[in-house]
Amino acid sequence: MSKIPAGVGPQYPHVVVLIGATGDLARRRLLPGLFHLSSAGFIPGYRIIGVSLDEMTADAFRDFVRQALKEHATRKVTEEAWSQFAANLDYVSLSAGAGALKAAVERAEKSFDGAETRRLHYLSVPPKAALSAVRMLGEARLVERARIVMEKPFGVDLKSAVELNAQLHQVFEEARIFRIDHFLGKEPAQNILAFRFANGLFEPIWNRNFIDHVQIDVPETLDLGKRVGFYETIGAYRDMVVTHLFQILAFMAMEPPTALDPVSITEEKNKVFRSMLPVKPTDVVRGQYSGYRAEPGVDPESETETFIALKCSIDNWRWAGVPFYLRTGKRLAEGQRIISIAFREPPRSMFPADSGVGAQGPDHLTFDLADASKMSLSFYGKRPGPGMRLDKLSLQFAMHDTGLVGDVLEAYERLILDAMRGDHTLFTSAEGIERLWEVSMPLLQAPPPVRPYAPGSWGPNAIHQLIAPHTWRLPFERAWRNPNALGN
């Protein structure tokens, strides 16, 4: 294992209060993530207190965590590492009340033999339960020396977002609130900043003069499973676009920050949101996969979208006139997460009509937002042999090429670590989320009707009219090259 760089981990030992500790997110992501962070040495001093509605003992909770690691840990769990982790676990049922939680936290803090500590409260609970959990933390007087991590969605419209923030601020000041978006915790999302601002080759052409349009495309093959009841009240736009895709758009479109620090980056992201034009219902395609209305808990006449595609615009000097196309949905043909940047084509061509120029569209720079990132730059090049025939070629990079793929932190691991350190770079601010709901209101107040689409397809046919005269980059005409294949 590589040595942990200095300054990556938190400065103080932490007591983590995980509310919703027996839920699906905790079982699949948070508990395995905390185990890896602790066993790898990122958080050497810690205690974890699980909190949920379930009535169980601390030993029963340890058994639950051991099973979660067995099913979902992505790295080997040794007996020695498990024993150390298990010794730092405790559990309090919500029914025991604020007093029992306060006592458990104080017990945990005393175990550090007088060392100065910090508290991290992670609310892995549905939005309707978040405020009651916040009030319990306030009642238990666990706000001092504490930061709080909130899961999406942050409201369902502008009014609810403003009210939620106002009530949160009665207990926690904004600097201590971390609204999590796991997309921004992914290594490839952060690599956008490095790619743009560390390379003199691309930043000069990162504007309306050279870029024709941008696609952010996150189709999913998954169905809704146990989330149907939640999803029926939320839909794809609230679930994915406001909280994920718009955040990725901000990284893609922001101006260079004055420094690589949370305040500067958050300000530039918020400038992008301020420059966004309201989303027009006429620039949106909503879809619903066939069979959704037959799912348990779904209204037989439901108008909830399981698919959304839209065009949005940023009205500033860098991006005026450049359309941004966003697409996401459930039960689609492939599971992908890409940003595709289409460059403007030359104003005229000197090549003969049968040369192949223009036959395969414009040059593209593509970011794959999978955990092990990949990038591709496509361009025209001459086909070997006589005459002037051109083919589309590409330069590709994959994290696997570096031998460092084992060092990649899973998104939740990175974000938990950042919250412990007080780093807001990859989190959403109150101002930012309220502005996104503001530009969303025309769509939410007058949504276009949902259109049916077949499971396993790419969505309703109307998506092609939305993006015309361009075309969607997915499905790719050519697969990513396999770096392990012969000849590559």
Side-chain angles (χ1 to χ4, degrees):
M1 180 175 297
S2 60
K3 183 179 178 181
I4 306 300
V8 170
Q11 181 179 356
Y12 301 101
H14 269 70
V15 175
V16 179
V17 177
L18 179 55
I19 301 178
T22 59
D24 190 62
L25 177 62
R27 185 168 57 89
R28 292 178 175 272
R29 298 291 187 184
L30 304 181
L31 291 166
L34 286 165
F35 171 78
H36 175 242
L37 290 176
S38 62
S39 60
F42 286 102
I43 48 173
Y46 69 95
R47 302 290 185 270
I48 298 169
I49 301 172
V51 181
S52 79
L53 290 169
D54 295 293
E55 299 287 345
M56 65 170 67
T57 64
D59 285 339
F61 179 60
R62 293 184 186 100
D63 292 340
F64 171 87
V65 175
R66 184 66 190 267
Q67 186 63 30
L69 297 182
K70 181 179 179 181
E71 295 176 5
H72 301 293
T74 57
R75 300 166 177 90
K76 184 178 180 180
V77 180
T78 66
E79 281 301 319
E80 180 183 3
W82 163 248
S83 296
Q84 292 176 353
F85 189 66
N88 291 306
L89 298 177
D90 198 358
Y91 183 82
V92 175
S93 171
L94 274 172
S95 63
L101 179 58
K102 178 178 175 59
V105 171
E106 289 178 343
R107 257 193 330 269
E109 291 175 337
K110 287 178 181 177
S111 69
F112 290 112
D113 297 326
E116 186 175 351
T117 61
R118 295 290 185 267
R119 301 159 179 168
L120 183 73
H121 306 309
Y122 197 119
L123 272 57
S124 178
V125 295
K128 62 183 179 181
L131 281 177
S132 62
V134 170
R135 285 191 287 267
M136 183 182 72
L137 293 170
E139 182 184 346
R141 291 183 291 178
L142 295 175
V143 176
E144 185 182 358
R145 294 179 284 107
R147 300 183 178 107
I148 184 168
V149 180
M150 306 283 296
E151 279 287 342
K152 69 177 180 72
F154 316 110
V156 295
D157 54 22
L158 178 58
K159 182 175 182 290
S160 62
V162 171
E163 291 176 351
L164 174 61
N165 284 327
Q167 293 186 61
L168 279 174
H169 291 155
Q170 291 177 9
V171 183
F172 288 91
E173 60 187 48
E174 177 65 18
R176 297 187 176 277
I177 301 171
F178 291 75
R179 300 169 186 82
I180 197 167
D181 171 17
H182 73 272
F183 267 50
L184 292 188
K186 291 181 174 295
E187 198 74 36
Q190 300 160 58
N191 206 25
I192 295 170
L193 298 180
F195 189 87
R196 283 190 59 188
F197 302 131
N199 297 296
L201 177 62
F202 289 100
E203 182 57 25
I205 62 171
W206 210 266
N207 57 60
R208 63 189 301 274
N209 296 321
F210 298 94
I211 292 177
D212 185 77
H213 66 279
V214 178
Q215 296 180 33
I216 302 175
D217 208 351
V218 187
E220 297 181 290
T221 58
L222 301 174
D223 59 19
L224 293 166
K226 297 178 180 179
R227 299 181 71 229
V228 169
F230 163 78
Y231 208 84
E232 175 67 0
T233 63
I234 298 295
Y237 183 81
R238 291 179 171 94
D239 184 48
M240 287 292 293
V241 177
V242 176
T243 52
H244 292 326
L245 273 61
F246 280 160
Q247 303 298 325
I248 293 293
L249 183 152
F251 266 27
M252 159 64 203
M254 64 190 276
E255 295 295 319
T258 55
L260 195 66
D261 60 50
V263 173
S264 301
I265 291 175
T266 297
E267 175 58 19
E268 295 305 333
K269 285 171 56 184
N270 286 343
K271 285 181 182 178
V272 174
F273 300 148
R274 290 177 211 138
S275 300
M276 287 178 65
L277 295 177
V279 178
K280 298 178 183 178
T282 53
D283 289 337
V284 177
V285 175
R286 297 168 71 236
Q288 187 185 90
Y289 66 78
S290 301
Y292 172 77
R293 294 178 179 178
E295 301 271 12
V298 173
D299 185 336
E301 298 181 358
S302 173
E303 288 293 304
T304 298
E305 79 277 359
T306 61
F307 171 97
I308 190 101
L310 65 145
K311 178 174 71 173
C312 61
S313 302
I314 301 172
D315 190 22
N316 62 19
W317 280 49
R318 184 182 289 262
W319 297 113
V322 177
F324 288 73
Y325 298 100
L326 281 59
R327 176 173 65 170
T328 187
K330 304 292 184 183
R331 301 287 302 274
L332 296 177
E334 294 179 21
Q336 294 275 1
R337 295 171 178 176
I338 71 158
I339 302 173
S340 187
I341 298 155
F343 292 100
R344 293 191 183 278
E345 297 188 72
R348 65 180 303 275
S349 175
M350 65 182 183
F351 297 95
D354 63 350
S355 67
V357 168
Q360 298 183 53
D363 300 338
H364 283 86
L365 175 63
T366 303
F367 293 88
D368 185 335
L369 300 182
D371 284 334
S373 61
K374 291 181 286 190
M375 289 182 287
S376 172
L377 177 63
S378 69
F379 56 92
Y380 282 104
K382 183 184 177 300
R383 183 185 299 178
M388 184 57 74
R389 291 286 298 169
L390 280 75
D391 285 328
K392 206 72 170 189
L393 309 174
S394 68
L395 299 172
Q396 294 189 8
F397 161 80
M399 185 62 71
H400 286 281
D401 297 338
T402 67
L404 299 175
V405 70
D407 292 346
V408 174
L409 287 179
E410 195 273 333
Y412 281 101
E413 296 172 357
R414 169 64 189 264
L415 293 169
I416 289 171
L417 202 62
D418 282 356
M420 287 181 171
R421 295 168 56 238
D423 187 338
H424 275 91
T425 302
L426 304 177
F427 294 85
T428 307
S429 68
E431 177 189 341
I433 200 67
E434 289 177 13
R435 172 58 183 167
L436 290 176
W437 284 121
E438 184 180 3
V439 301
S440 301
M441 290 313 295
L443 171 62
L444 299 180
Q445 291 169 346
V450 293
R451 302 168 183 260
Y453 65 94
S457 71
W458 286 97
N461 288 331
I463 62 172
H464 303 297
Q465 287 76 50
L466 174 70
I467 202 171
H470 316 299
T471 58
W472 292 99
R473 284 280 282 157
L474 289 175
F476 285 131
E477 293 180 3
R478 297 177 300 279
W480 291 92
R481 287 198 294 269
N482 180 359
N484 298 317
L486 292 175
N488 285 335

